[in-house]
Amino acid sequence: MTLRIVVFDRSDVLVKGLAKAVAALPDEPDVEVLERPAEVVAAFEEGPVDVLVVGPSELSAAGMRRVAKLHAEHPETVVVVAGKVSDLPAPVTLVKAGAAEIIKLPAGAPTIRRVLVSAIAQANARRVEVRVEVPAEREEETVEETVVVPEQRQPAHTITVASATGGCGKTFLASNLAYLLARGTGKRVAMVDLDLQFGEVVSMLQLRPTRTIVDVDLHEEGSLESAMTRHEGGFDVLAAPRDPIAADSLSATQVADVLLAVRQRYDYLIIDTPPSLNEVVLSSFDISENLIVLATLDVPSVNNMRVFLSTLERLKIPTDGLHLVLNKAEKNVGFSGSDVEQILGRAWDLVLPYDREVSRAVNLGQPVTEAAPSSDVSRRLVEGLSRIVPGVAVPTPAPVRRRGFLARLLADLKPRRVALPEEKP
């Protein structure tokens, strides 16, 4: 299916560079350059528009109101705003208009091309199709397969961590939730990395798994258990494949079966997801009591969260256990968390500040609640978890003291006192 890009602009400032950028794309999309608002409305009526590029001539208050109306009516369209930095509207206005990407003019074809590639990738991710399959009555099977069924127990309380934009801190939050639940409750906790192509759990926690999710065979006893990697914080991790290509060997059905098997063996299950809404991610939503969605204080992240929440509504996904988290919150960045609350129409359930302790903890391979339990971000995480998982009072855990590489090396080099035998007369 050919992608469709509509350019809404009355000037030629953008068109020349845009034409060169489009020609350099691997699959050249259909591009329509329109000058009148009525023409743009008609273009949307003709069929789906994947990317709407708003040029400098439409950055007025009236123009942005028109774009915001189009975005409200067609949230699946990725909006790109182009203009000089001095002419760009305020961040709140950009978010209301649905701006997912910004082209700062003047810009050459390579820069415009990079922005378009990102916008096209987002457009492809927003093409979510939900297929409801009614299982047909099975005829008598000729081949019987034996599936290892674990001892029946209460399924794990499942929490999925998601976002519509990369870099929001999903893996950071998921690993800290796993650590807090393991240390605070003493129960069995598992963490599954569902970013099957570019999972970061292993690198963030500095783990060395011998097996990953692609090695799990539910027909083989002990296969799942042997694929789990133990973290010193007291929880188990099911890692994503080491090779991104290997992810293609896993179907959404296989992943769903693995998640159900993990859920049956643990008390708590934390699922880390990629920034997309594919069938694998949707399968994790189906089994989750809680869904945590993250954003940061920047226009693309907030706008994509709006689209994400709108998509959940259109897909009829229950949001009783939905929690919104603002991560890396800072002051004086153009707009505030309260501004975003007005845009989203609901309050944040948890606001986490930007904290250098997070980077230090990542470099140590530890959750920040382990490396720096008294830090502001750790205290807020503890308070937030108690609200997200009702009935779980998680005390601030004492840090696990682990010597770093240099300390271990110095200990090995330190001279040891050896008791010599007494000399005989």
Side-chain angles (χ1 to χ4, degrees):
M1 182 176 178
T2 304
L3 282 157
R4 190 170 173 224
I5 298 177
V6 168
V7 182
F8 186 16
D9 192 24
R10 294 183 179 89
S11 67
D12 59 356
V13 177
L14 178 65
V15 173
K16 185 179 293 185
L18 187 66
K20 292 181 179 178
V22 169
L25 294 173
D27 299 315
E28 187 172 341
D30 289 335
V31 180
E32 303 166 58
V33 180
L34 306 174
E35 296 182 357
R36 300 176 183 275
E39 294 175 337
V40 176
V41 172
F44 275 90
E45 291 174 350
E46 290 172 6
V49 175
D50 297 288
V51 179
L52 173 65
V53 181
V54 181
S57 65
E58 287 300 312
L59 299 186
S60 64
M64 296 310 291
R65 282 197 296 270
R66 284 192 289 267
V67 176
K69 185 174 184 296
L70 284 170
H71 172 63
E73 296 171 351
H74 307 277
E76 71 282 357
T77 299
V78 177
V79 178
V80 177
V81 173
K84 294 180 180 179
V85 174
S86 58
D87 296 335
L88 290 174
V92 172
T93 303
L94 288 171
V95 169
K96 289 180 178 179
E101 297 286 347
I102 296 173
I103 300 174
K104 297 178 181 178
L105 299 177
T111 300
I112 297 174
R113 178 182 176 276
R114 284 196 295 272
V115 173
L116 288 180
V117 167
S118 176
I120 289 171
Q122 294 179 55
N124 287 328
R126 292 183 188 182
R127 288 179 173 180
V128 181
E129 295 181 2
V130 179
R131 296 185 296 275
V132 181
E133 298 181 359
V134 179
E137 295 183 4
R138 292 187 177 182
E139 297 181 0
E140 188 174 343
E141 298 180 354
T142 55
V143 179
E144 293 185 359
E145 290 186 340
T146 302
V147 178
V148 178
V149 180
E151 180 184 352
Q152 293 300 309
R153 52 181 292 164
Q154 186 69 24
H157 185 109
T158 303
I159 304 172
T160 292
V161 183
S163 78
T165 309
C168 288
K170 294 185 301 299
T171 304
F172 147 76
L173 181 61
S175 59
N176 276 278
L177 290 180
Y179 173 76
L180 286 174
L181 286 169
R183 288 289 175 183
T185 67
K187 295 184 177 180
R188 301 193 69 197
V189 178
M191 180 178 178
V192 176
D193 191 347
L194 275 197
D195 191 343
L196 301 178
Q197 289 189 310
F198 301 104
E200 297 179 343
V201 174
V202 166
S203 58
M204 178 171 284
L205 297 176
Q206 298 182 16
L207 300 174
R208 292 187 176 88
T210 57
R211 304 182 72 197
T212 70
I213 191 171
V214 295
D215 300 308
V216 175
D217 182 355
L218 296 179
H219 301 287
E220 178 184 332
E221 187 173 0
S223 176
L224 178 59
E225 288 78 3
S226 65
M228 306 298 287
T229 302
R230 188 72 171 176
H231 185 266
E232 291 185 19
F235 57 93
D236 293 336
V237 173
L238 183 57
R242 286 180 285 268
D243 182 359
I245 298 177
D248 294 335
S249 65
L250 286 172
S251 68
T253 301
Q254 288 175 300
V255 173
D257 289 342
V258 170
L259 291 177
L260 290 174
V262 175
R263 194 166 177 249
Q264 195 61 49
R265 290 164 169 81
Y266 287 83
D267 300 303
Y268 292 98
L269 169 59
I270 311 297
I271 303 174
D272 187 26
T273 62
S276 63
L277 275 176
N278 54 39
E279 289 187 50
V280 170
V281 174
L282 291 175
S283 68
S284 70
F285 293 177
D286 290 339
I287 64 169
S288 297
E289 282 81 18
N290 297 105
L291 172 59
I292 301 175
V293 183
L294 283 83
T296 51
L297 277 180
D298 57 82
V299 171
S301 179
V302 173
N303 179 64
N304 285 340
M305 174 177 267
R306 270 183 43 163
V307 175
F308 188 98
L309 297 177
S310 173
T311 304
L312 293 183
E313 184 177 350
R314 287 188 288 120
L315 297 179
K316 309 298 182 185
I317 294 176
T319 56
D320 296 341
L322 175 68
H323 302 275
L324 304 188
V325 175
L326 175 62
N327 193 26
K328 307 177 188 177
E330 296 182 89
K331 296 180 180 178
N332 303 320
V333 293
F335 64 144
S336 65
S338 58
D339 292 332
V340 180
E341 288 180 343
Q342 293 179 0
I343 293 169
L344 297 177
R346 61 174 291 166
W348 299 106
D349 295 285
L350 177 60
V351 176
L352 299 175
Y354 173 82
D355 196 327
R356 291 183 180 179
E357 289 292 345
V358 174
S359 297
R360 191 177 73 85
V362 170
N363 292 333
L364 292 172
Q366 297 174 268
V368 70
T369 45
E370 176 184 4
S374 60
S375 65
D376 186 24
V377 67
S378 293
R379 290 197 300 270
R380 295 200 192 187
L381 277 167
V382 171
E383 295 168 1
L385 179 58
S386 300
R387 293 195 299 271
I388 291 171
V389 187
V392 175
V394 183
T396 302
V400 177
R401 302 295 181 184
R402 289 189 287 181
R403 295 185 301 173
F405 171 76
L406 183 59
R408 294 195 303 270
L409 179 62
L410 292 175
D412 291 338
L413 295 178
K414 185 178 180 180
R416 292 178 173 82
R417 180 174 297 176
V418 179
L420 299 176
E422 296 182 2
E423 294 184 4
K424 294 182 180 181

XYZ file of all heavy atoms in Angstrom, residues 280-318:
304
model
N 1.956 -8.423 19.233
C 2.658 -8.927 20.414
C 2.374 -8.040 21.621
O 2.079 -8.526 22.723
C 4.182 -9.001 20.141
C 4.941 -9.284 21.433
C 4.485 -10.080 19.107
N 2.455 -6.726 21.431
C 2.194 -5.794 22.532
C 0.734 -5.881 22.979
O 0.441 -5.897 24.184
C 2.547 -4.358 22.101
C 2.138 -3.360 23.186
C 4.042 -4.234 21.819
N -0.173 -5.964 22.017
C -1.595 -6.065 22.367
C -1.895 -7.335 23.161
O -2.774 -7.338 24.021
C -2.448 -6.022 21.101
C -2.479 -4.684 20.360
C -3.248 -4.808 19.058
C -3.067 -3.588 21.233
N -1.137 -8.398 22.890
C -1.350 -9.638 23.646
C -0.974 -9.457 25.110
O -1.556 -10.104 25.989
C -0.547 -10.787 23.026
O 0.848 -10.588 23.202
N -0.003 -8.579 25.392
C 0.360 -8.321 26.794
C -0.723 -7.493 27.488
O -0.973 -7.667 28.683
C 1.712 -7.608 26.876
O 1.624 -6.271 26.411
N -1.373 -6.593 26.735
C -2.456 -5.803 27.328
C -3.597 -6.710 27.782
O -4.245 -6.449 28.795
C -3.001 -4.794 26.312
C -2.038 -3.705 25.928
C -2.384 -2.765 24.971
C -0.790 -3.601 26.524
C -1.511 -1.755 24.612
C 0.098 -2.598 26.173
C -0.269 -1.679 25.214
N -3.846 -7.768 27.012
C -4.985 -8.647 27.287
C -4.890 -9.337 28.645
O -5.908 -9.690 29.234
C -5.103 -9.708 26.189
C -5.559 -9.116 24.865
O -6.151 -8.017 24.884
O -5.317 -9.738 23.818
N -3.665 -9.561 29.127
C -3.510 -10.317 30.376
C -3.084 -9.434 31.551
O -2.780 -9.950 32.626
C -2.485 -11.463 30.202
C -1.086 -10.904 29.912
C -2.922 -12.429 29.124
C 0.016 -11.941 29.987
N -3.061 -8.119 31.341
C -2.528 -7.223 32.368
C -3.619 -6.629 33.239
O -4.664 -6.191 32.740
C -1.728 -6.086 31.709
O -0.616 -6.596 31.012
N -3.351 -6.611 34.540
C -4.229 -5.894 35.460
C -3.928 -4.400 35.431
O -4.808 -3.579 35.697
C -4.055 -6.411 36.896
C -4.743 -7.725 37.192
C -3.940 -8.927 36.702
O -2.727 -8.768 36.443
O -4.523 -10.017 36.572
N -2.675 -4.067 35.149
C -2.267 -2.664 35.120
C -1.493 -2.372 33.837
O -0.653 -3.168 33.421
C -1.387 -2.310 36.322
C -2.105 -2.467 37.645
O -1.866 -3.416 38.374
N -3.010 -1.552 37.953
N -1.775 -1.237 33.240
C -1.046 -0.752 32.074
C -0.478 0.619 32.415
O -1.230 1.550 32.710
C -1.965 -0.663 30.852
C -1.389 0.022 29.600
C -0.138 -0.692 29.121
C -2.437 0.082 28.499
N 0.844 0.737 32.387
C 1.517 1.995 32.698
C 2.034 2.593 31.391
O 2.805 1.951 30.673
C 2.682 1.785 33.679
C 2.168 1.156 34.981
C 3.388 3.098 33.967
C 3.265 0.804 35.964
N 1.605 3.814 31.084
C 2.013 4.491 29.849
C 2.855 5.706 30.216
O 2.428 6.543 31.009
C 0.797 4.922 29.015
C 1.249 5.544 27.700
C -0.109 3.719 28.739
N 4.055 5.792 29.630
C 4.997 6.856 29.953
C 5.060 7.912 28.860
O 4.842 7.620 27.681
C 6.410 6.303 30.152
C 6.724 5.588 31.460
C 6.282 4.142 31.396
C 8.220 5.650 31.758
N 5.411 9.134 29.277
C 5.719 10.208 28.347
C 6.742 11.123 29.011
O 6.951 11.065 30.227
C 4.468 10.997 27.968
N 7.396 11.946 28.211
C 8.310 12.965 28.711
C 7.801 14.328 28.246
O 6.930 14.420 27.386
C 9.746 12.723 28.214
O 9.717 12.554 26.786
C 10.330 11.471 28.849
N 8.385 15.392 28.799
C 7.913 16.741 28.497
C 8.494 17.269 27.194
O 9.290 18.214 27.191
C 8.237 17.694 29.655
C 7.247 17.707 30.820
C 7.702 18.684 31.885
C 5.847 18.064 30.341
N 8.123 16.646 26.099
C 8.467 17.180 24.789
C 7.281 16.948 23.857
O 6.469 16.048 24.077
C 9.739 16.549 24.231
C 9.664 15.045 24.138
O 9.100 14.551 23.149
O 10.149 14.348 25.051
N 7.186 17.756 22.834
C 6.004 17.760 21.982
C 5.722 16.401 21.339
O 4.599 15.896 21.418
C 6.126 18.858 20.906
C 5.011 18.731 19.865
C 6.073 20.233 21.554
N 6.711 15.747 20.687
C 6.408 14.449 20.075
C 5.904 13.411 21.075
O 4.981 12.655 20.785
C 7.747 14.029 19.450
C 8.485 15.305 19.231
C 8.096 16.176 20.383
N 6.520 13.372 22.267
C 6.142 12.362 23.256
C 4.714 12.573 23.744
O 3.921 11.627 23.819
C 7.115 12.393 24.440
O 6.748 11.443 25.409
N 4.373 13.816 24.063
C 3.031 14.102 24.575
C 1.983 13.863 23.489
O 0.927 13.280 23.743
C 2.951 15.542 25.105
C 1.513 15.900 25.479
C 3.862 15.699 26.319
N 2.287 14.306 22.269
C 1.331 14.095 21.194
C 1.121 12.610 20.922
O -0.007 12.154 20.722
C 1.812 14.785 19.920
C 0.838 14.564 18.767
O -0.296 15.004 18.816
N 1.276 13.846 17.757
N 2.220 11.838 20.917
C 2.086 10.405 20.670
C 1.343 9.703 21.794
O 0.654 8.698 21.566
C 3.466 9.779 20.471
C 4.053 10.107 19.112
O 3.330 10.464 18.191
N 5.355 10.012 18.984
N 1.458 10.228 23.024
C 0.667 9.654 24.108
C -0.816 9.894 23.853
O -1.647 8.997 24.077
C 1.060 10.254 25.463
C 0.153 9.799 26.604
S 0.636 10.409 28.224
C 1.652 9.042 28.791
N -1.162 11.080 23.352
C -2.559 11.355 23.012
C -3.070 10.358 21.972
O -4.159 9.801 22.106
C -2.685 12.777 22.449
C -2.939 13.826 23.489
C -3.130 15.186 22.882
N -3.965 15.177 21.685
C -4.533 16.253 21.179
N -4.363 17.427 21.771
N -5.250 16.182 20.095
N -2.267 10.135 20.944
C -2.665 9.191 19.899
C -2.777 7.781 20.476
O -3.701 7.025 20.151
C -1.654 9.220 18.736
C -1.988 8.154 17.693
C -1.638 10.596 18.083
N -1.822 7.419 21.342
C -1.806 6.102 21.977
C -3.092 5.877 22.767
O -3.757 4.841 22.619
C -0.582 6.014 22.889
C -0.318 4.654 23.468
C 0.619 3.806 22.898
C -0.980 4.216 24.610
C 0.877 2.561 23.434
C -0.737 2.970 25.153
C 0.205 2.144 24.560
N -3.456 6.850 23.601
C -4.657 6.711 24.421
C -5.911 6.666 23.551
O -6.847 5.916 23.838
C -4.743 7.871 25.426
C -3.606 7.950 26.452
C -3.778 9.169 27.341
C -3.540 6.685 27.288
N -5.921 7.469 22.493
C -7.054 7.450 21.569
C -7.184 6.089 20.887
O -8.284 5.573 20.693
C -6.893 8.553 20.524
O -7.877 8.462 19.525
N -6.036 5.503 20.541
C -6.038 4.187 19.889
C -6.563 3.115 20.840
O -7.331 2.236 20.433
C -4.629 3.819 19.411
O -4.131 4.852 18.551
C -4.631 2.499 18.650
N -6.162 3.179 22.105
C -6.673 2.219 23.090
C -8.198 2.292 23.162
O -8.882 1.267 23.248
C -6.083 2.505 24.474
C -4.586 2.277 24.677
C -4.214 2.546 26.126
C -4.180 0.874 24.278
N -8.702 3.514 23.111
C -10.161 3.699 23.173
C -10.831 3.109 21.945
O -11.857 2.430 22.047
C -10.473 5.192 23.295
C -11.956 5.499 23.457
C -12.214 6.984 23.643
O -11.237 7.731 23.832
O -13.388 7.380 23.572
N -10.236 3.360 20.759
C -10.831 2.847 19.524
C -10.759 1.331 19.444
O -11.605 0.683 18.840
C -10.139 3.466 18.310
C -10.501 4.929 18.099
C -9.972 5.478 16.798
N -8.540 5.660 16.816
C -7.691 5.067 15.998
N -8.134 4.219 15.089
N -6.397 5.307 16.064
N -9.731 0.748 20.076
C -9.582 -0.705 20.064
C -10.376 -1.386 21.172
O -10.334 -2.612 21.314
C -8.103 -1.083 20.208
C -7.167 -0.635 19.083
C -5.741 -1.055 19.384
C -7.617 -1.210 17.757
N -11.099 -0.574 21.972
C -11.942 -1.100 23.058
C -11.119 -1.858 24.094
O -11.566 -2.855 24.673
C -13.039 -2.021 22.508
C -13.860 -1.434 21.376
C -14.617 -0.193 21.815
C -15.480 0.350 20.675
N -16.143 1.633 21.048
N -9.899 -1.389 24.338
C -9.051 -2.021 25.356
C -9.420 -1.438 26.712
O -9.408 -0.208 26.891
C -7.563 -1.786 25.047
C -7.183 -2.519 23.760
C -6.675 -2.242 26.200
C -5.772 -2.274 23.299
N -9.751 -2.275 27.710
C -10.131 -1.766 29.033
C -9.026 -0.906 29.643
O -7.841 -1.236 29.553
C -10.350 -3.048 29.850
C -10.611 -4.114 28.835
C -9.801 -3.745 27.630
